[in-house]
């Protein structure tokens, strides 16, 4: 079922509310209750999710094709893109509630005009195009033109049966919401984070057990990636108040719990099965070659929407929840990483067990505890489970089509799961198999990710 074949049916009647001035404008004062809007006409959830899927695909494509991208910055972009998808369409849904007043510092957004008709697909389309180009203003001209091209394709599919005033009004509204969200994003601490990803002035504590930048890791720069990212503003206030998990105390005693954690990584890496190697590479999501680890989570949301085929309203909410979950997960995780500065297995193993050891997968440029993969995967699984249920079968095809890794003798085959939590557990386990995380990193990440996702779920999404 395509967007084009439903053009006439997709026009929504105007939003009727009292006390509003004409025009798309910022909400005047908090006494105007956005829940008072009463959309009429076709419910947003009767519209197919095609346009949301196409923009999610585009966001993933731009993330992959932008050189120098990082999981931290990508997670932030997915958070704002998902939120914008939701807020540009929320007033077309009889049951939904805006997140204005619920997120950190988001006090107002533009409202639609009272008594006017909007085409919400055009609003979403214009908002995604505007924001994606702003967040990735540093990407190539080709990528920017790809965004423009998709915007025009969707626009052409819809405008034949939409009057000119409605087209203009809908697109202006979508851009105004996206513009307001982008302006709000500039104060979160991660604005233009791609400019100085590896600050030279950051000093590591230098105590025993401290992480050291690897000389043979994923990147050539022996410095820490975004060491201050944990100070950024979270989307959800409750996530910023979470107490941090604490790692096991450092020890080189072979009888200690700390030693056992790192020895287990070393022992496992010496006897990986072929399937375990495939798991390690499937979730590796090297930012120089893929859409990054948070992109993998955003793509799981995309696969879920394609599989479940919900209406546009639920699809937009899905991308919003997953986007904000991975964004907050990276902030909370990075706060933990650069509070404790826990060493990776390679450092401890080479110093205390085997000086010639190399992990199966090269080490990323930041401390080990806790695991970013585990944290963001658990947050994603938690919100998707709340939306689609405990038992949801899906096939993860994220890396189908990639060339075989000849060095490690691994090809990329689709992976089948019976629940979202299975994806989170395998994502976390993959880092242990890769030799770059201990099980305490993974267990803490899964536990914290659950809490982060639960806080996203507890926002008031419905009236």
């Amino acid at each position: 079922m395509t967007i084009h074949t439903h053009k006439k049916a997709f026009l929504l009647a105007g939003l009727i509310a009292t006390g509003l001035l004409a025009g798309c404008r910022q909400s005047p004062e908090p006494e105007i209750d956005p829940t008072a809007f009463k959309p009429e006409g076709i419910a947003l959830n009767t519209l197919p999710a095609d346009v949301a899927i196409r923009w999610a695909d585009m966001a993933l494509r731009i993330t992959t094709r932008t050189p120098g991208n990082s999981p931290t910055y990508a997670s932030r972009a997915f958070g704002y893109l998902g939120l914008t998808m939701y807020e540009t369409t929320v007033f077309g849904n009889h049951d939904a509630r805006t997140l204005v007043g619920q997120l950190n510092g988001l006090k107002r957004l533009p409202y639609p005009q009272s008594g006017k008709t909007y085409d919400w697909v055009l609003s979403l389309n214009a908002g995604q195009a505007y924001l994606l180009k702003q967040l990735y203003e540093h990407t190539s001209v080709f990528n920017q033109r790809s965004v423009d091209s998709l915007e025009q394709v969707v626009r052409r599919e819809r405008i034949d049966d939409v009057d000119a005033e409605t087209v203009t009004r809908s697109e202006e509204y979508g851009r105004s919401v996206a513009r307001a969200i982008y302006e709000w994003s500039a104060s979160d601490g991660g604005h233009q984070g791609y400019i100085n990803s590896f600050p030279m002035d950051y000093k590591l504590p230098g105590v025993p057990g401290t992480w050291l930048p690897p000389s043979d890791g994923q990147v050539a720069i022996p410095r820490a990636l975004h060491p201050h990212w944990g100070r950024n503003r979270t989307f959800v206030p409750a996530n910023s108040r979470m107490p941090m998990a604490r790692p096991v105390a450092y020890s080189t005693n072979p009888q200690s719990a700390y030693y056992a954690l790192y020895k287990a990584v070393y022992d496992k890496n010496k006897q990986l099965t072929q399937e375990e190697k495939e798991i390690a590479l499937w979730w590796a999501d090297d930012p120089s070659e893929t859409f990054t680890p948070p992109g993998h989570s955003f793509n799981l949301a995309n696969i879920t929407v394609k599989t479940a085929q919900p209406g546009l309203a639920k699809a937009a909410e899905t991308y919003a929840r997953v986007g904000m979950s991975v964004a907050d997960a990276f902030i909370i995780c990075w706060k933990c990483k650069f509070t404790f500065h826990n060493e990776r297995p390679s450092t401890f193993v080479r110093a205390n067990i085997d000086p010639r050891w190399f992990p199966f997968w090269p080490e990323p440029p930041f401390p080990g505890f806790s695991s970013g993969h585990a944290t963001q995967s658990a947050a994603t699984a938690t919100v998707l489970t709340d939306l689609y249920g405990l038992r949801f079968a899906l096939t993860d095809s994220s890396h189908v089509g990639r060339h075989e890794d000849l060095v490690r003798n691994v090809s990329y085959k689709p992976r089948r799961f019976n629940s979202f939590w299975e994806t989170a557990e395998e994502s976390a386990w993959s880092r242990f198999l890769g030799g770059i995380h201990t099980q305490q990193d993974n267990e803490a990440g899964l536990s914290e990710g659950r809490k982060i996702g639960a806080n996203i779920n507890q926002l008031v999404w419905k009236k």
Side-chain angles (χ1 to χ4, degrees):
M1 188 162 60
T2 65
I3 294 175
H4 182 71
T5 58
H6 289 78
K7 284 186 287 188
K8 293 184 179 180
F10 294 167
L11 286 178
L12 299 183
L15 304 176
I16 309 301
T18 58
L20 295 180
L21 297 176
C24 286
R25 58 177 177 79
Q26 298 282 41
S27 54
E29 294 298 339
E31 65 263 18
I32 299 296
D33 181 7
T35 65
F37 282 93
K38 305 293 184 183
E40 296 183 1
I42 302 171
L44 192 67
N45 228 8
T46 65
L47 310 183
D50 301 49
V51 68
I53 292 170
R54 290 159 81 176
W55 278 110
D57 285 337
M58 179 59 71
L60 291 162
R61 196 174 305 128
I62 298 301
T63 302
T64 304
R65 293 176 178 176
T66 301
N69 206 356
S70 67
T72 36
Y73 188 79
S75 71
R76 175 182 182 272
F78 290 125
Y80 287 114
L81 288 165
L83 174 63
T84 301
M85 199 178 288
Y86 180 79
E87 290 293 341
T88 51
T89 58
V90 66
F91 290 112
N93 186 353
H94 294 265
D95 301 319
R97 179 167 182 162
T98 176
L99 299 181
V100 170
Q102 299 190 65
L103 304 182
N104 270 324
L106 186 62
K107 298 179 179 179
R108 56 179 58 85
L109 287 176
Y111 289 166
Q113 295 182 48
S114 175
K116 297 292 186 180
T117 300
Y118 285 82
D119 184 289
W120 302 109
V121 168
L122 287 174
S123 296
L124 185 153
N125 187 53
Q128 290 294 290
Y130 175 87
L131 188 61
L132 190 52
K133 289 199 295 184
Q134 294 300 314
L135 292 172
Y136 282 101
E137 60 181 359
H138 58 298
T139 197
S140 67
V141 173
F142 175 81
N143 286 341
Q144 293 272 352
R145 288 175 177 170
S146 296
V147 174
D148 291 336
S149 177
L150 177 57
E151 182 183 18
Q152 291 306 310
V153 166
V154 174
R155 188 176 192 273
R156 285 194 300 269
E157 290 173 350
R158 299 199 58 77
I159 61 174
D160 287 348
D161 298 319
V162 181
D163 66 89
E165 289 185 2
T166 299
V167 171
T168 300
R169 184 186 307 116
S170 301
E171 292 180 333
E172 287 181 350
Y173 174 67
R175 289 190 196 99
S176 70
V177 171
R179 187 178 302 110
I181 289 176
Y182 180 69
E183 290 171 357
W184 169 61
S185 78
S187 61
D188 72 353
H191 182 60
Q192 296 182 327
Y194 49 83
I195 291 177
N196 188 22
S197 300
F198 298 91
M200 295 184 64
D201 59 350
Y202 186 76
K203 304 297 182 184
L204 293 163
V207 299
T210 295
W211 171 78
L212 298 174
S215 58
D216 54 355
Q218 286 185 20
V219 298
I221 303 174
R223 295 198 297 272
L225 172 69
H226 285 141
H228 305 300
W229 200 261
R231 302 175 186 175
N232 290 0
R233 180 183 66 209
T234 60
F235 281 90
V236 178
N239 284 336
S240 65
R241 298 190 293 266
M242 287 175 53
M244 283 186 292
R246 301 188 67 86
V248 173
Y250 172 79
S251 175
T252 58
N253 184 337
Q255 305 305 313
S256 68
Y258 191 91
Y259 190 102
L261 285 166
Y262 289 85
K263 178 68 160 49
V265 178
Y266 172 71
D267 290 341
K268 184 61 185 173
N269 251 224
K270 292 192 298 182
Q271 52 181 0
L272 292 175
T273 67
Q274 184 62 28
E275 183 181 10
E276 287 171 339
K277 292 177 182 180
E278 291 172 1
I279 291 172
L281 263 67
W282 184 262
W283 295 97
D285 293 305
D286 186 340
S288 67
E289 298 179 6
T290 73
F291 40 44
T292 76
H296 200 148
S297 286
F298 202 70
N299 195 45
L300 288 180
N302 209 23
I303 291 169
T304 300
V305 171
K306 292 175 182 178
T307 302
Q309 298 185 339
L312 182 55
K314 188 171 183 178
E317 184 176 341
T318 301
Y319 294 117
R321 289 208 206 187
V322 171
M324 292 191 295
S325 290
V326 297
D328 278 7
F330 271 83
I331 294 170
I332 300 305
C333 182
W334 251 243
K335 180 180 179 181
C336 190
K337 285 182 182 293
F338 288 95
T339 295
F340 300 110
H341 299 92
N342 260 59
E343 63 188 334
R344 294 272 182 173
S346 61
T347 305
F348 184 85
V349 169
R350 289 169 186 170
N352 299 280
I353 301 173
D354 183 350
R356 295 185 297 257
W357 181 71
F358 288 91
F360 179 67
W361 184 253
E363 181 184 322
F366 37 83
F369 184 87
S370 57
S371 164
H373 267 63
T375 308
Q376 60 105 19
S377 295
T380 297
T382 300
V383 299
L384 288 176
T385 298
D386 192 62
L387 285 165
Y388 295 93
L390 285 169
R391 304 297 295 176
F392 187 96
L394 73 156
T395 299
D396 183 4
S397 56
S398 294
H399 299 306
V400 172
R402 286 186 64 185
H403 294 297
E404 180 182 1
D405 187 317
L406 298 177
V407 174
R408 299 171 183 85
N409 189 30
V410 170
S411 58
Y412 295 90
K413 307 169 187 175
R415 302 196 63 77
R416 181 77 174 169
F417 301 96
N418 293 311
S419 71
F420 297 114
W421 194 250
E422 284 184 8
T423 69
E425 289 182 320
E426 185 171 284
S427 173
W429 178 238
S430 74
R431 308 308 268 175
F432 178 78
L433 299 176
I436 56 179
H437 272 298
T438 66
Q439 278 297 76
Q440 76 159 347
D441 302 342
N442 294 332
E443 290 166 3
L446 289 172
S447 176
E448 296 307 287
R450 274 188 187 272
K451 299 172 189 175
I452 293 165
N455 288 333
I456 296 286
N457 291 339
Q458 287 168 12
L459 294 170
V460 182
W461 295 90
K462 306 300 180 186
K463 291 179 182 175

